[in-house]
Amino acid sequence: EAGVAQSPRYKIIEKRQSVAFWCNPISGHATLYWYQQILGQGPKLLIQFQNNGVVDDSQLPKDRFSAERLKGVDSTLKIQPAKLEDSAVYLCASSFVGQGRGSYNEQFFGPGTRLTVL
Amino acid sequence: QKEVEQNSGPLSVPEGAIASLNCTYSDRGSQSFFWYRQYSGKSPELIMSIYSNGDKEDGRFTAQLNKASQYVSLLIRDSQPSDSATYLCAVGNYGGSQGNLIFGKGTKLSVKP
């Protein structure tokens, strides 16, 4: 079974530029997550999709970050304009989520995109 | 604010010893608990999940959960240098729209040959 795919693996940009990251989840996984992981910290959820709908984007800085999952499969996360503090690893994860009790959202991560903002 | 607390370490153990990693969480409604291993420069890898009070064993790994104390731990028996990594504790509610996880900052484990 193929894992979560992400691209690019590395990106270096200047502040105020824009950048986009792509993620393809594990086949059959309805739920897709984007996390930001700053060095020395645990991953922090940015946005959660179930199929092509947003479930939780409460921690997404919406003035500069946007994400979409138009066909309920792959997803794109965009930053425009980037700031120095956006330097981090952006992780995509997916899970097979059923309904109700017993559906315990085991999440599997892709390799991540390391973003450096200069 | 839901929080997950871990000792950042580093925790250093000799090869062959038992490594004990601990995690506490603030949300009493939490139902699902996970341990991820993260090697330097790599993404988190799921190694254990536990949902009920008590112990769950998988090979050299044992997860322990005590919901009354809001405490979850991971024991690694016969520690190997290849176990040297950061271990992330993650806590969440059960499925559907409540599927997101709160992660701790991680505990760095170093296993000395």
Side-chain angles (χ1 to χ4, degrees), chain A residues 37 56 97 103 105-107 110, chain B residues 36 38 43 49 93 95-96 99-100:
Chain A
Q37 187 175 24
D56 185 351
V97 180
S103 306
N105 63 302
E106 290 187 343
Q107 297 183 21
Chain B
Y36 285 82
Q38 187 170 29
S43 62
S49 56
N93 295 308
N100 60 14

Side-chain angles (χ1 to χ4, degrees), chain A residues 21-38:
Chain A
F21 312 125
W22 174 83
C23 172
N24 194 47
I26 293 171
S27 178
H29 280 195
T31 305
L32 184 148
Y33 312 80
W34 283 102
Y35 288 89
Q36 180 192 59
Q37 187 175 24
I38 293 172

Side-chain angles (χ1 to χ4, degrees), chain B residues 78-110:
Chain B
D78 187 25
S79 295
Q80 301 296 309
S82 58
D83 295 325
S84 297
T86 296
Y87 289 80
L88 297 165
C89 175
V91 174
N93 295 308
Y94 63 87
S97 64
Q98 299 173 337
N100 60 14
L101 300 179
I102 307 297
F103 283 82
K105 293 183 178 180
T107 297
K108 187 171 184 178
L109 172 67
S110 177

Side-chain angles (χ1 to χ4, degrees), chain B residues 43-84:
Chain B
S43 62
E45 174 192 9
L46 180 65
I47 55 171
M48 288 291 285
S49 56
I50 187 166
Y51 312 111
S52 303
N53 281 328
D55 295 359
K56 179 182 178 182
E57 186 175 317
D58 184 359
R60 295 186 296 112
F61 298 100
T62 299
Q64 299 174 317
L65 175 61
N66 184 326
K67 289 185 180 179
S69 300
Q70 295 175 243
Y71 176 90
V72 59
S73 65
L74 179 70
L75 300 178
I76 306 174
R77 290 182 301 281
D78 187 25
S79 295
Q80 301 296 309
S82 58
D83 295 325
S84 297

Side-chain angles (χ1 to χ4, degrees), chain A residues 30-35 45 47-50 54-56 59 93-109, chain B residues 2 27 29-34 36 51 90-103:
Chain A
T31 305
L32 184 148
Y33 312 80
W34 283 102
Y35 288 89
L45 180 72
I47 190 167
Q48 175 188 349
F49 292 95
Q50 184 151 345
V54 175
V55 174
D56 185 351
Q59 298 190 88
S94 70
S95 66
F96 175 78
V97 180
Q99 293 300 315
R101 217 167 177 82
S103 306
Y104 287 118
N105 63 302
E106 290 187 343
Q107 297 183 21
F108 300 91
F109 285 85
Chain B
K2 299 176 183 178
D27 182 11
S30 300
Q31 297 289 334
S32 54
F33 307 87
F34 306 92
Y36 285 82
Y51 312 111
V91 174
N93 295 308
Y94 63 87
S97 64
Q98 299 173 337
N100 60 14
L101 300 179
I102 307 297
F103 283 82

